């Protein structure tokens, strides 16, 4: 079962989500549950309800049934499913995107249209000044304003250190005014309605400010020494370090080499020594881990003396490992104890004498001392890590070049940050240690928050088991307190209620939230808070920035919290940003058109791509000021939400400090640019406005496809493409490195080639110096670099560009493209082109889309009416397709390479890849099914389409050559492909696929319309299997069926290209693809009739079935039909005629007026055994006479030698093998025959290896009475009795001549003999003394049926093989229900494989499940594939096994039947999966053991498909 917690499934509102059963779940009791709210119910994340199954065909078919959710509510939802008695097997999440609305008319703001600008709230000044400052966002094209928290801040002034989560920052109120949340809400609503700007804000759940008044009243909301006593050692260390820091500041350690001003490595070494020798040694922290040895030993002594333990053996030498520690919940020194039960189990005296008890206690003491020694070492490891972290902090803060260089150690800037609050007057360390045990004081020693580099994001570093505070691994934020929620609201009621109120205030005002410190917030807390927010604002927009470094870890947060967009910055290497951008496009340019109903595949989180985030390093420090504009262009071209931070567009030279910045933002003034005001002349604001407008247009107009290319160092092109209008917008930008003046660069860049016609230059921009004398001294506001601005030109013609040197139309890769040569395209420049298709391409594509509307309405947009449409395109394709016969469909859809070559062609061969499996559409569809969902445009097939028209010409010419209705389809393809020859080559693959896919689906609809109601109303599996009928039955030019009597009506004729006469062209069966489809090996008598019921009768192809039956009837000779048709037909199989008889019976039963076939004339090719072949019509007789001849000859006995016997007929067979025998045992009625040198049933492998000495020896002769032949004969005899009684068959008996006398055997008597003798002779009973058992010593399994009776090698009779279920299906009356059920159970346990049935019991000594026909070695049973039927798992017998199971299960009762139905469904699901994944769209003839693929098997076998279809019919 899949675990999908780390897979992200994103969906938009309005989608229908379907849950369907995978193959392992079909046939089982499965129920799907979800917490998605039921209709008219509110969401409760802890409340799940079950979904009802939908049966689209009205039948309880596991292949197609599904549960559905109509997604109309945003958020994150769980689902899981139960299976049988397993309550929860597997599950996952779905995330439904919110629908955002702006403006007075509540217009939808698509997520990809979002353009957000982040503001530090504390830099906005009083609330009445906000509009002047946030107007910058409106005027520069942003539609979302992201505020940092608006709450009252803590003493540090940090934006995220909140003193009171419920109080508005008083700094927003002027003297004499008091603004409230209501005022903020009014302002936000005005921004939404009047400015079309949504507002979101940050929420902080993991911490509160250190000076929060409420935490003093409710210290249980933080981690303190009362509720988290395991922190005591860390607190002691923290206080000791504080006192050390104070003493260093006072100069007390100067003599020991550690002055207040730490300047070099010697000082660091002195610090390390002092920490180790004077801090850790004095604290003796290991005592918090250790056990009081004396107390524990005394406790054990008292227990032993009290007789708590009976005398046991001496303690084992590794007993120390068996001791269980019990941790002291109060974490006192030596407070840990040992579990005395484990001690008593481990330490037992020999006796109860004082000396033995003392010896035992001494042993216990030694073990405890060893244990304490290990715990001492454990604490020393923590101390070493703490020392390293402390020293590392000091080096960074005071010595490192990139550090803050804090200077001397003082109380304001201590040696290292404090990890805990200490809200009391300074006292000595000894006095502080006493406070630790005073609950009223200790509860106020609260742990600060921070982050741990490399920490598991799902682990709370302040919880038990984490030693982060002790090991000093926390990067501490000393202005905050880490909040302690517990697992549920009951664990800390005040905190949960407080934070829920905070959340609700936020959700009432803002359209969305940004989760600050997302992976430092317990997931269950954030989940609960967001649920509270969505209860107020269902379409809540949620963003977060994650730093997990893993997409799958990110997905866990996104899934559980329902995060809409993840914030990503451009702080990667510029060479990598193109790679980043490929994540932010929905699909590549030229992507394939996807069907409306498609599998839901894991997605990538929606992104908010930002040119600068608040906590990003200053871009100027990493890049040049000239890089701001191209970076913004890169972001704006992304097909996702975009964002920036206020100050970036103004070219702010310094990163705004979240902690220390208190200057206000500049206000907007469109007219004047002063130090405290900004407008479009400021920085790159004009360029950003143009880019933001473009981002909006691209999203609105459906430019969903993206292509990114790195042209040269620093030169990137980004293409956005609209898949309906096929317009493109192409941005060319040149990045700028730091110190541009020192960095060597040229003005020349490589030319670019743009397919299509450039309509305009949307934007041309660069950053220029406008004023080198700017004086920034005395600035009171947050201002950028006033000396720089953006020079832009918008919507100009190509000739007016300052950077385009030349533009010419040139030919490239069979396309006409525009070549653009640049000049003076210096770093920092951008140019953006709007490109349309040239007029002819636009017309051709518009017309093509018009014709594609018949397949899907998605092509309506961009379609154009054509003036002069080719006549073949004026009618729907279905009209043309409906004229094709199913034989024509075989040509259109299938025909493998050998079949194509027989006609002088072949399948299309794709260079650098493979030939297609079929010449017809299925060959392409199988390849495109793999390519399309992944948009694998680099596939060799797509390359071939882009490079030339060869594939299109192949498809149309192949069909045109056939003429008739097939030729008409060829004309249709030719006309449709003509459009593709006049469009840009990069679009050819997607439109080629659209044509092929549409034609293929239409063809299948036309196929099913010609089939039976069972197929038309059947499941998807039924339909897929039914296509096997079209796949396998076709007209072969080189092998035609024997001519049917000219007196038969409705026989297809066509003009022979060779004789120029009308000749019959009946379809024939290809036994398997690709090995058995042409020439003499195409049409096998046995395979034809094993497959005929499933592929012909069940599909409704009754007329063609009749023709095949009559054609083979005409070949009857010696009482047999041939195994192979063709130049030298061979009558060497004993079973084909009985399968033929069975099919006639099925025809008469299943086809309306089917018995009329019995009177149909049969043109006998061989009227007698020695006749020369006769022409059709020369010797006709009714079919019932031919049937009678079969029965008569078998009862009389068949004995002949094959014509043309010898190596020229079969190079492996010995001379005796050419002698064919068959007869009926007069005493039992059983048909029998064969000898040890031939193999007359379907298990017909003849040895071929001279090296292994098996050449000429059949692997499975199955001479005697083969069980399935007895069953087929019984079925025929029973049927003939019924036919005669009903007046449809004129014969009641067969006549035999022996010893010069003639006598008759009635069919009633023959039927009775078989019935009376079958179980007596074939069943292997559990009675070892069974008098019917002639060879009890050969029995190795009981409760089964023999595979044969009377074999010359008697042990062969007793082999367990999958043949007896065939007899059970065709003649179930032969079997006692209970015995049959037991035998089927044995077969299930021993023979049933994933797809087929093992052909031999694995317990048999000659079993070998892997077939390799190329292997020639010394092994008799393996060489040259001798084990063909000695283990490999054949598929067609599984159909009979499952049908037998269903038949007898019904006899066993309802419960058994229901379980069997589920088993059958589960087994068939594997065939459904195989069929779906097979590029041949078929089922193999056999597999190696355990369902492993066998390269020697046919990839698609007629009998395999047919018998599985029969099982579904029985269901």
């Amino acid at each position: 079962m899949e675990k999908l917690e780390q897979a992200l499934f994103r969906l938009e509102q309005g989608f229908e989500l379907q849950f369907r059963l995978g193959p392992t779940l079909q046939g089982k009791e499965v129920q799907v549950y979800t917490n998605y709210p039921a209709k008219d119910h509110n969401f409760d994340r802890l409340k799940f309800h079950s979904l009802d199954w939908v049966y689209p065909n009205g039948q309880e078919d596991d292949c197609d049934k599904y549960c559905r959710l109509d997604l109309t509510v945003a958020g994150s939802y769980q689902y899981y499913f139960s299976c049988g008695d397993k309550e929860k097997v597997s599950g996952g999440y779905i995330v439904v995107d919110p629908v955002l609305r702006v403006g007075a008319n509540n217009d939808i703001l698509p997520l990809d249209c979002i353009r957000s600008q982040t503001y530090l709230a504390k830099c906005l000044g009083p609330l009445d000044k906000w509009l002047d400052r946030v107007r910058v966002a409106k005027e520069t094209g942003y539609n979302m304003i992201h505020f940092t928290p608006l709450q009252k801040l803590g003493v540090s002034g940090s934006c995220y250190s909140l003193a009171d989560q419920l109080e508005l920052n008083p700094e927003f109120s002027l003297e004499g005014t008091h603004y409230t949340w209501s005022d903020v809400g009014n302002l936000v609503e005005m921004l939404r309605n009047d400015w079309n700007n949504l507002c979101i804000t940050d929420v902080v759940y993991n911490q509160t400010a250190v000076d929060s008044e409420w935490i003093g009243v409710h210290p249980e909301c933080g981690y303190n020494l009362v509720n988290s006593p395991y922190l005591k050692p860390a607190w002691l260390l923290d206080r000791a370090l504080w006192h050390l820091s104070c003493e260093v500041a006072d100069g007390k350690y100067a003599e020991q080499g550690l002055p207040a001003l730490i300047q070099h490595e010697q000082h660091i070494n002195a610090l390390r020594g002092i920490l180790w020798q004077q801090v850790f040694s004095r604290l003796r922290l290991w005592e918090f881990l250790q056990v009081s040895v004396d107390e524990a030993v005394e406790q054990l002594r008292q227990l032993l003396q009290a007789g708590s333990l009976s005398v046991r053996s001496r303690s084992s030498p590794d007993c120390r490992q068996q001791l269980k520690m019990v941790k002291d919940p109060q974490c006192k020194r030596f407070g840990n104890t040992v579990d005395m039960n484990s001690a008593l189990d481990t330490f037992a005296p020999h006796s109860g004498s004082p000396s033995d008890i003392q010896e035992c206690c001494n042993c216990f003491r030694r073990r405890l001392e060893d244990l304490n020694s290990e715990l001492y070492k454990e604490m020393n490891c923590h101390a070493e890590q703490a020392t390293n972290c402390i020293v590392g902090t000091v080096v960074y803060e005071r010595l490192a070049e990139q550090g803050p260089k804090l200077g001397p150690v003082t109380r304001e800037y201590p040696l290292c940050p404090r990890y805990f609050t200490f809200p009391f007057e300074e006292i000595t360390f000894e006095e502080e240690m006493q406070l630790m045990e005073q609950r009223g004081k200790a509860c106020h020693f609260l742990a600060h928050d921070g982050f741990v580099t490399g920490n598991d994001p799902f682990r709370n570093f302040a919880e038990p088991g984490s030693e982060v505070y002790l090991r000093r691994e926390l990067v501490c934020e000393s202005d905050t307190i880490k909040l302690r929620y517990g697992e549920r609201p009951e664990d800390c009621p005040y905190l949960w209620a407080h934070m829920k109120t905070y959340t609700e205030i936020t959700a009432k005002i803002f359209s969305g939230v940004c989760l600050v410190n997302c992976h430092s917030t317990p997931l269950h807390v954030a989940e609960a808070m967001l649920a509270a927010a969505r209860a107020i604002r269902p379409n809540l927009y949620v963003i977060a920035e994650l730093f997990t470094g893993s997409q799958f870890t990110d997905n866990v947060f996104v899934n559980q919290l329902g995060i809409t967009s993840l914030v990503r910055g451009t702080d990667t290497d510029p060479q990598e940003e193109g790679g980043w951008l490929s994540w932010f496009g929905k699909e590549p340019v030229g992507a394939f058109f996807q069907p409306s109903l498609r599998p839901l595949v894991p997605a990538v989180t929606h992104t908010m791509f930002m040119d600068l985030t608040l906590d990003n390093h200053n871009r100027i420090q990493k890049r040049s000021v000239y890089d701001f504009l191209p970076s913004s262009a890169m972001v704006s071209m992304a097909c996702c939400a975009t964002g920036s931070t206020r100050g970036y567009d103004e070219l702010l030279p310094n990163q705004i400090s979240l902690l220390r910045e208190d200057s206000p933002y500049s206000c907007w003034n469109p007219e004047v640019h002063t130090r405290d005001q900004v407008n479009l002349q400021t920085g790159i604001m004009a360029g950003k406005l143009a880019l933001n407008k473009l981002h909006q247009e691209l999203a609105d107009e459906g430019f969903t496809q993206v292509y990114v290319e790195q042209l040269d160092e620093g030169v990137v092109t980004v293409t956005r493409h609209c898949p309906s209008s096929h317009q493109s917008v192409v941005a060319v930008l040149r990045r700028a490195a730091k110190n541009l003046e020192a960095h060597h660069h040229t003005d020349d860049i490589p030319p670019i080639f743009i397919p299509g016609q450039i309509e305009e230059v949307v934007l041309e921009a660069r950053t220029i110096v406008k004023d080198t004398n700017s004086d920034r001294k005395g600035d009171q506001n947050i201002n950028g670099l006033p000396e720089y601005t953006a020079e832009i030109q918008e919507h100009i013609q190509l000739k007016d560009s300052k950077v385009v040197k030349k533009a010419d139309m040139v030919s490239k890769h069979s396309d006409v493209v525009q070549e653009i040569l640049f000049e003076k395209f210096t770093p920092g420049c951008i140019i953006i082109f709007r490109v349309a298709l040239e007029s002819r391409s636009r017309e051709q594509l518009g017309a093509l889309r018009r014709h594609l509307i018949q397949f899907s309405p998605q092509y309506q947009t961009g379609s154009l009416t054509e003036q002069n449409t080719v006549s073949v395109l004026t009618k729907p394709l279905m009209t043309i397709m409906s004229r094709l016969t199913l034989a024509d469909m075989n040509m259109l859809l299938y025909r493998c390479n050998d079949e194509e070559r027989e006609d002088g062609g072949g399948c299309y061969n794709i260079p650098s890849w493979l030939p297609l499996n079929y010449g017809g559409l299925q060959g392409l569809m199988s390849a495109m099914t793999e390519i399309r969902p992944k948009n694998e445009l680099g596939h060799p097939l797509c390359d071939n389409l882009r490079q030339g028209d060869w594939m299109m010409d192949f498809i149309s010419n192949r069909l045109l050559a056939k003429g008739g209705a097939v030729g008409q389809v060829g004309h249709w393809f030719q006309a449709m492909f003509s459009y593709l020859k006049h469009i840009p080559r990069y679009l050819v693959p997607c439109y080629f696929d659209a044509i092929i896919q549409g034609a293929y689906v239409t063809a299948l609809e036309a196929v099913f319309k010609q089939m039976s109601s069972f197929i038309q109303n059947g499941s998807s599996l039924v339909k897929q299997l039914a296509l096997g009928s079209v796949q396998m039955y076709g007209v072969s030019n080189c092998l035609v069926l024997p001519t049917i009597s000219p007196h038969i009506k409705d026989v297809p004729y066509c003009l022979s290209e060779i004789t120029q006469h009308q000749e019959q062209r009946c379809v024939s069966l290809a036994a398997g693809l690709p090995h058995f489809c042409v020439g003499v090996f195409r049409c096998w008598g046995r395979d034809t009739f094993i497959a005929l019921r499933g592929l012909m009768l069940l599909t409704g192809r009754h007329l063609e079935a009749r023709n095949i039956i009559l054609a083979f009837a005409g070949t009857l000779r010696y009482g047999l039909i041939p195994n192979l048709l063709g130049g030298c037909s061979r009558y060497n199989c004993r079973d084909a005629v009985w399968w033929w008889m069975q099919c006639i019976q099925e025809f008469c039963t299943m086809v309306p007026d089917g018995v009329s076939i019995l009177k149909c004339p049969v043109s006998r090719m061989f009227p007698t055994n020695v006749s020369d072949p006769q022409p059709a019509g020369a010797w006709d007789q009714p079919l019932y006479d031919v049937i009678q001849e079969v029965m008569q000859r078998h009862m009389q006995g068949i004995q002949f030698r094959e014509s043309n016997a010898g190596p020229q007929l079969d190079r492996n067979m010995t001379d005796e093998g050419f002698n064919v025998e068959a007869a009926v045992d007069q005493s039992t009625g059983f048909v029998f025959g064969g000898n040890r040198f031939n193999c007359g049933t379907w298990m017909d492998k003849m040895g071929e290896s001279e090296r292994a000495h098996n050449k000429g020896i059949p692997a499975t002769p199955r001479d005697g009475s083969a069980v399935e032949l007895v069953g087929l004969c019984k079925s025929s005899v029973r049927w003939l009795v019924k036919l005669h009684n009903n007046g449809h068959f004129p014969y009641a008996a067969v006549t035999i001549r022996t010893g010069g006398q003639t006598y008759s055997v009635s069919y009633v008597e023959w039927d009775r003999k078989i019935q009376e003798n079958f179980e007596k002779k074939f069943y292997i009973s559990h009675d070892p003394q069974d008098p019917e058992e002639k060879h009890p010593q050969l029995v190795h399994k009981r409760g089964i049926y023999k595979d044969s009776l009377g074999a010359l090698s008697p042990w062969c009779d007793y082999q367990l093989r999958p043949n007896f279920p065939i007899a059970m299906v065709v003649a179930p009356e032969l079997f006692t229900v209970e015995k049959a059920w037991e035998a089927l159970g044995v077969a299930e346990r021993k023979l049933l494989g994933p797809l087929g049935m093992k052909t031999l019991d694995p317990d048999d000594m000659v079993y070998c499940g892997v077939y390799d026909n190329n292997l020639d070695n010394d092994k008799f049973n393996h060489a040259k594939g001798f084990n063909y039927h000695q283990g490999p798992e054949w598929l067609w017998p599984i159909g009979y096994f499952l049908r037998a199971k269903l038949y007898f299960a019904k006899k066993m009762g309802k419960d058994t039947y229901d379980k069997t139905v589920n088993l059958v469904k589960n087994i068939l699901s594997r065939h459904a999966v195989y069929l779906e994944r097979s590029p041949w769209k078929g089922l193999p003839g056999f597999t190696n053991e355990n369902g492993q693929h066998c390269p020697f098997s046919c990839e698609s076998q007629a009998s395999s498909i047919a018998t599985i279809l029969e099982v579904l019919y029985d269901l």
Side-chain angles (χ1 to χ4, degrees), residues 717-770:
T717 65
V718 186
T719 300
R720 290 280 297 273
H721 183 82
C722 175
S724 56
S725 69
H726 293 295
Q727 285 192 335
S728 297
V729 171
V730 182
V732 186
L733 50 101
R734 189 166 187 186
R735 305 295 302 274
K738 179 70 175 171
N739 297 325
L740 191 59
E741 295 77 11
H743 187 78
H744 175 72
H745 66 84
T746 64
D747 289 348
D748 296 327
I749 66 168
I752 66 167
F753 299 90
I754 299 177
Q757 191 170 354
I758 295 177
E759 292 188 325
E760 65 167 350
V761 176
V762 179
L763 176 65
E764 182 174 293
R766 60 177 178 163
T767 305
I768 61 169
V769 179
K770 67 171 182 177

Side-chain angles (χ1 to χ4, degrees), residues 378-390:
E378 181 183 327
M379 182 55 79
N380 266 0
C381 288
H382 295 326
E384 287 178 13
Q385 174 65 4
T387 301
N388 292 334
C389 290
I390 294 164

Side-chain angles (χ1 to χ4, degrees), residues 153-174:
L153 302 180
V155 65
S156 70
S158 170
C159 293
Y160 300 121
S161 178
L162 310 185
D164 190 340
Q165 288 75 12
L166 309 185
E167 182 183 346
L168 184 66
N169 191 337
E171 297 293 325
F172 300 153
S173 298
L174 293 169

Side-chain angles (χ1 to χ4, degrees), residues 1366-1404:
I1366 301 170
M1368 288 180 169
V1369 171
V1370 298
E1373 69 274 12
L1374 292 175
F1375 298 83
T1376 303
V1377 171
E1378 291 74 15
K1379 292 177 181 177
W1381 189 249
E1382 181 186 11
L1384 287 168
V1386 176
E1388 182 179 336
R1389 290 191 299 275
K1390 289 294 180 180
L1391 303 182
L1392 180 63
L1395 292 175
M1397 299 292 283
K1398 292 178 176 64
T1399 39
L1400 181 62
D1401 182 356
D1403 297 336
D1404 197 292

Side-chain angles (χ1 to χ4, degrees), residues 1437-1506:
I1438 202 174
Y1440 282 91
F1441 167 76
L1442 296 177
R1443 291 178 68 195
K1445 284 280 285 187
L1446 286 169
Y1447 179 88
F1448 287 104
K1450 192 171 284 188
K1451 303 284 185 184
M1452 295 292 291
K1454 185 177 185 307
D1455 287 347
T1456 302
Y1457 180 72
D1458 290 344
K1459 290 177 182 177
T1460 303
V1461 167
N1462 287 336
L1463 169 72
V1464 171
K1465 287 180 177 180
N1466 187 256
I1467 292 170
L1468 293 182
S1469 70
R1470 304 169 199 160
H1471 298 89
V1473 170
Y1474 190 97
L1475 197 58
E1476 182 66 31
R1477 295 176 180 172
S1478 166
W1480 291 84
K1481 285 292 177 267
L1483 296 174
F1486 61 92
T1487 71
N1488 285 334
E1489 60 187 4
N1490 301 319
Q1492 299 172 36
H1493 179 260
C1494 179
F1496 297 95
S1497 168
C1498 281
E1499 297 290 349
S1500 184
Q1501 187 104 349
S1503 55
S1504 301
I1505 299 170

Side-chain angles (χ1 to χ4, degrees), residues 86-118:
K86 294 181 180 178
E87 187 175 337
K88 188 174 182 180
V89 178
S90 183
Y93 290 83
I94 53 171
V95 177
V96 184
D97 288 338
V99 174
L100 305 180
R101 296 182 180 273
V102 294
N105 296 324
N106 274 332
D107 299 319
I108 291 178
L109 174 62
L111 298 182
D112 290 340
C113 285
I114 290 173
R115 302 174 304 284
S116 172
Q117 190 173 45
T118 303

